[in-house]
Amino acid sequence: MVNFQKLKNIILSNNTFLLTTHVNPDADAIGSEIAFYQILKALGKKAYIINHSETPYNLKFLDTDNVIRQFNLDDYADYFNQVDVIVALDFNRSDRTVSMQKNFERAKAIKICIDHHQDPEKFVDYEFIDTDYSATGEILLSLITETKLVQLTKEIAEPIYAAIMTDTGSFRFERTTAKLHRKVATLLETGVNPTEIYDKIYDQSKFSKIKLLGRALESIQLSANGRIAYMIITQKDFDEFGAIESDTENFVNYNLSIENVVLGLLFIELKNVFKVSFRSKGNIPVNKLAAEFGGGGHTNASGARFFDRNMTSEIINQILSRAVSYIK
């Protein structure tokens, strides 16, 4: 249960804020940052948004004020020591900030976390976390509606809609309830255009992404008598098509579209990291599977990153072996 009055008091009692989110941000991450920024702007507060990763090209339309900055030590390290509050949005472990981790941890500012993922790390002063919410953006919507902190405008509603729409799989995942639809209706009443937002996020892909998707689909293999499906993307694939990491968003879900498959995996080889995405159906807790390899997330959607290992057949087989134990 989120203490919205406490969150409201922290916001009103301070003047300068630094907002950040996790590596390789999705629409919930970017949408939550922009929505929170617009809330602070409406209150006359000063806010900065600084992320480790560049904003994916299909989400840049959410940043209408062009305020998101990509972190580098020379330009932005001092920002962590110049604000009253640092806000971690849509993540609950400090290592998810990657290059900013030391600056985040050493900062003297009040640190708060607003998130909906499971198994949070104790890395902030105040946690506003509830796993019952469909998205971090939904938490921000409840902050507004329950405390009357600001008026819900289209500038705030649009990024919140993008956050909720994407994190619910376009309103088909488990946390898509009648209550959530009533909340989303209030967003549409501000003038948000759902057709336009869906088109910008999902139907304006670069050609390189579609070519990479083809390679990923071509790589799909089945395991555990057809109950597990997995795909592999190598650095060579990225180089061949000129694609980037954010292009792989939602690729892993294609595994679950195969009949009888209940657990899907996506193995991604990048220049400096090896990444695994986990997805499942029903009550298969892939967050626990991901945790075995230093990752985490939701029951049915999780991930893990390896900064000290290459993608080898050995580690792939090790993860597949452990995955089998979760479907028995």
Side-chain angles (χ1 to χ4, degrees):
M1 182 73 70
V2 174
N3 186 338
F4 287 110
Q5 190 57 49
K6 177 64 176 179
L7 178 54
K8 177 182 179 180
N9 291 341
I10 291 174
I11 293 171
L12 294 180
S13 300
N14 293 278
N15 296 312
T16 56
F17 299 76
L18 189 154
L19 317 181
T20 193
T21 193
H22 55 79
V23 59
N24 194 29
D26 56 12
D28 191 20
I30 298 297
S32 296
E33 287 183 313
I34 295 299
F36 203 90
Y37 174 87
Q38 293 293 348
I39 290 171
L40 295 173
K41 182 179 176 181
L43 292 169
K45 309 291 184 178
K46 181 67 175 177
Y48 308 96
I49 303 178
I50 303 175
N51 295 334
H52 166 78
S53 302
E54 182 181 3
T55 302
Y57 62 82
N58 63 323
L59 301 179
K60 288 185 177 181
F61 76 96
L62 294 170
D63 186 11
T64 55
D65 291 344
N66 192 30
V67 294
I68 298 178
R69 297 290 178 264
Q70 188 174 7
F71 179 78
N72 67 69
L73 279 172
D74 292 338
D75 295 332
Y76 299 114
D78 289 342
Y79 280 62
F80 288 83
N81 300 314
Q82 296 173 355
V83 296
D84 302 321
V85 182
I86 298 174
V87 186
L89 289 155
D90 199 45
F91 70 99
N92 59 27
R93 292 172 47 177
S94 62
D95 63 1
R96 297 283 279 153
T97 61
V98 192
S99 62
M100 303 186 298
Q101 183 176 4
K102 290 182 179 179
N103 298 87
F104 186 104
E105 293 175 343
R106 293 171 180 172
K108 303 301 181 182
I110 298 169
K111 301 185 186 76
I112 68 174
C113 174
I114 304 174
D115 186 42
H116 68 127
H117 295 94
Q118 296 168 313
D119 304 319
E121 174 190 79
K122 298 296 182 182
F123 74 112
V124 296
D125 301 302
Y126 299 99
E127 293 180 350
F128 301 97
I129 301 173
D130 193 331
T131 58
D132 288 336
Y133 281 86
S134 67
T136 300
E138 186 190 352
I139 298 176
L140 297 182
L141 178 58
S142 291
L143 167 66
I144 295 170
T145 57
E146 295 192 21
T147 69
K148 311 299 181 185
L149 180 61
V150 294
Q151 180 181 355
L152 182 61
T153 63
K154 183 181 178 182
E155 290 73 23
I156 297 172
E158 187 168 83
I160 289 179
Y161 179 86
I164 296 174
M165 183 267 288
T166 54
D167 254 32
T168 58
S170 299
F171 305 103
R172 73 183 194 275
F173 292 163
E174 181 183 359
R175 288 180 176 80
T176 304
T177 61
K179 181 179 179 181
L180 178 64
H181 277 298
R182 286 191 288 269
K183 288 182 177 181
V184 170
T186 66
L187 301 175
L188 302 185
E189 287 167 353
T190 68
V192 170
N193 186 327
T195 303
E196 181 180 292
I197 292 177
Y198 186 96
D199 178 72
K200 288 180 177 178
I201 293 177
Y202 292 122
D203 290 343
Q204 295 294 323
S205 298
K206 292 186 182 299
F207 186 58
S208 57
K209 175 180 177 178
I210 302 303
K211 294 291 286 185
L212 185 67
L213 174 59
R215 180 62 55 81
L217 294 173
E218 185 181 20
S219 77
I220 291 181
Q221 299 182 58
L222 297 177
S223 179
N225 296 317
R227 303 280 281 170
I228 295 175
Y230 64 97
M231 54 176 65
I232 299 172
I233 302 176
T234 67
Q235 182 61 55
K236 182 179 178 181
D237 295 328
F238 283 101
D239 294 340
E240 180 178 347
F241 301 124
I244 57 177
E245 180 183 357
S246 61
D247 285 331
T248 65
E249 184 73 23
N250 293 319
F251 280 16
V252 65
N253 293 325
Y254 284 93
N255 290 304
L256 298 182
S257 67
I258 303 171
E259 63 176 351
N260 299 321
V261 170
V262 294
L263 195 155
L265 299 165
L266 169 61
F267 299 96
I268 302 175
E269 179 186 49
L270 298 162
K271 290 181 179 178
N272 300 310
V273 63
F274 160 43
K275 174 184 174 182
V276 187
S277 294
F278 305 80
R279 296 293 185 274
S280 68
K281 293 181 178 179
N283 60 359
I284 299 173
V286 288
N287 61 315
K288 293 183 179 180
L289 172 59
E292 292 189 29
F293 299 94
H298 299 294
T299 300
N300 299 116
S302 296
R305 285 173 175 262
F306 301 83
F307 292 97
D308 56 350
R309 298 186 68 171
N310 296 323
M311 186 174 74
T312 63
S313 57
E314 179 184 1
I315 183 63
I316 290 175
N317 289 333
Q318 183 182 351
I319 294 172
L320 286 171
S321 176
R322 291 302 304 142
V324 170
S325 69
Y326 281 82
I327 65 172
K328 288 183 178 179

